[in-house]
């Protein structure tokens, strides 16, 4: 089957970090089809033009991995006619609420206390590890839905980097996509036009000073070490990806075959 490669990536005004993950290579020589799996940040601020573009993708399902606190902060997703929206929070709104309040409202001393000396990166690594071990039911639900009827699909969280990034990575692992390609796609979230816009209280000079932004960078960067920690957690907990999929996520070989038929060329 010939790959239909998009000529240009759309410039969406109110949706950050949107992309089609088509074209990624699988270990069996096939590639992910274009037009079947998309990822992005939240859709709450989509403009009318953005919504028209998204509606034109022919989406079956939007998977929203934000929790209730995220939705309260950013708002609900824009409604796309005929598209099913499935909300599967991959983080507890009470988990780290005080931490994120300090990220948005804290002064420099508070930020140093919670983020300096590698604490920010350590927190991100711990979060990635816990999502892998604690959210097997949600990732199982996503993969079973994709195998049955939920294609084309768009996966997003707030920034489209962490919770959506892990869910995309798990999906790509199930498809047999090469590990290096999964990491390469994940790291695209670092590109300037894709990055989440941090909202901080206070004057611009103090809220976004170089030291503040440096302290915050581990939280808003896509770092290979984060995704590597997730992969290591899979191997440490289940031994290998096949066992993770079969025992952790209850994905049978037949379900994996259906996924590959749906997503690979």
């Amino acid at each position: 089957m010939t790959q239909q490669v998009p000529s240009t990536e759309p410039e969406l005004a109110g949706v950050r970090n949107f992309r089609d993950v088509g074209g990624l290579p699988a270990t069996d020589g096939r590639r992910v089809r274009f037009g079947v799996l998309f990822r992005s940040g939240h859709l709450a601020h989509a403009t009318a033009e953005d919504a028209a573009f998204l509606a034109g993708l022919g989406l079956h399902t939007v998977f929203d991995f934000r929790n209730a606190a995220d939705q309260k902060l950013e708002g609900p997703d824009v409604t796309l006619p005929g598209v099913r929206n499935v909300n599967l929070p991959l983080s507890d709104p009470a988990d780290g609420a005080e931490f994120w309040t300090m990220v948005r409202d804290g002064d420099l001393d508070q930020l140093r206390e919670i983020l300096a000396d590698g604490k920010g990166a350590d927190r991100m690594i711990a979060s990635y590890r816990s999502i892998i071990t604690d959210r097997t039911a949600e990732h199982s639900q996503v993969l079973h839905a994709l195998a049955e009827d939920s294609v084309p699909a768009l996966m997003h969280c707030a920034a489209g980097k962490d919770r959506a990034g892990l869910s995309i990575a798990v999906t790509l692992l199930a498809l047999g996509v090469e590990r290096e390609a999964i990491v390469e796609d994940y790291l695209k979230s670092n590109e300037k036009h894709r990055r989440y816009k941090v909202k901080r209280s206070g004057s611009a000079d103090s809220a976004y000073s170089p030291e503040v932004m440096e302290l915050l960078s581990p939280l808003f960067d896509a770092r290979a070490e984060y995704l590597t920690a997730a992969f290591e957690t899979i191997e440490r907990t289940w031994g290998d990806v096949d066992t993770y999929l079969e025992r952790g996520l209850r994905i049978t070989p037949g379900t994996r075959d259906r996924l590959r038929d749906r997503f690979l060329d």
Side-chain angles (χ1 to χ4, degrees):
M1 182 179 292
T2 303
Q3 291 269 311
Q4 297 297 313
V5 183
S7 57
T8 58
E9 186 176 290
E11 293 183 8
L12 303 180
V15 179
R16 307 286 288 186
N17 208 7
F18 174 88
R19 59 189 179 275
D20 186 334
V21 301
L24 298 183
T27 54
D28 65 2
R30 292 186 286 175
R31 289 182 179 269
V32 178
R33 292 173 180 158
F34 287 94
V36 294
L37 184 59
F38 304 91
R39 59 182 295 174
S40 73
H42 69 77
L43 310 183
H45 301 161
T47 65
E49 291 78 10
D50 295 341
F53 169 81
L54 294 169
L57 296 175
L59 295 171
H60 182 287
T61 300
V62 170
F63 292 98
D64 180 356
F65 301 117
R66 295 179 299 161
N67 61 42
D70 296 320
Q71 294 186 344
K72 183 178 180 181
L73 178 68
E74 295 145 356
D77 278 347
V78 66
T79 299
L80 301 175
V83 179
R84 181 177 67 170
N85 190 294
V86 176
N87 180 226
L88 286 174
L90 290 184
S91 57
D92 187 326
D95 180 28
E98 182 179 344
F99 172 85
W100 286 106
T101 298
M102 276 196 280
V103 167
R104 293 189 171 93
D105 303 329
D107 62 23
L108 184 54
D109 287 339
Q110 288 176 309
L111 293 179
R112 285 174 179 150
E113 182 179 346
I114 64 172
L115 298 174
D117 302 320
K119 289 194 286 286
D122 288 345
R123 184 182 182 88
M124 294 303 294
I125 288 171
S127 173
Y128 274 57
R129 291 188 185 281
S130 67
I131 287 175
I132 288 295
T133 56
D134 299 346
R135 301 295 178 170
T136 52
E138 289 85 347
H139 283 144
S140 176
Q141 182 177 337
V142 169
L143 291 182
H144 279 102
L146 294 176
E148 295 304 323
D149 63 4
S150 301
V151 180
L154 168 65
M155 299 185 188
H156 79 80
C157 50
K161 173 179 73 78
D162 303 313
R163 291 165 290 184
L166 277 174
S167 299
I168 288 285
V170 167
T171 302
L172 295 175
L173 286 175
L175 298 176
V177 171
E178 295 176 3
R179 191 79 60 92
E180 288 184 4
I182 297 175
V183 174
E184 184 178 352
D185 172 71
Y186 166 78
L187 292 175
K188 287 181 180 179
S189 292
N190 285 325
E191 294 168 10
K192 185 176 180 180
H193 69 291
R194 302 186 191 280
R195 292 178 70 93
Y196 186 73
K197 292 184 177 179
V198 185
K199 297 182 180 73
R200 295 248 315 137
S201 61
S203 69
D205 287 345
S206 62
Y208 299 98
S209 71
E211 184 178 356
V212 166
M213 298 312 291
E214 180 66 23
L215 287 166
L216 293 177
S217 66
L219 309 181
F220 299 101
D221 289 349
R223 298 187 179 182
E225 64 185 292
Y226 301 165
L227 201 53
T228 297
F231 295 150
E232 289 174 347
T233 300
I234 287 173
E235 287 153 5
R236 187 179 64 198
T237 307
W238 288 277
D240 55 42
V241 168
D242 290 342
T243 306
Y244 161 66
L245 292 166
E246 188 166 347
R247 296 185 182 174
L249 304 189
R250 307 299 185 209
I251 303 299
T252 66
T255 300
R256 289 186 76 179
D257 287 342
R258 289 199 300 276
L259 284 166
R260 287 169 170 161
D261 287 344
R262 282 182 173 273
F263 285 96
L264 300 181
D265 63 16

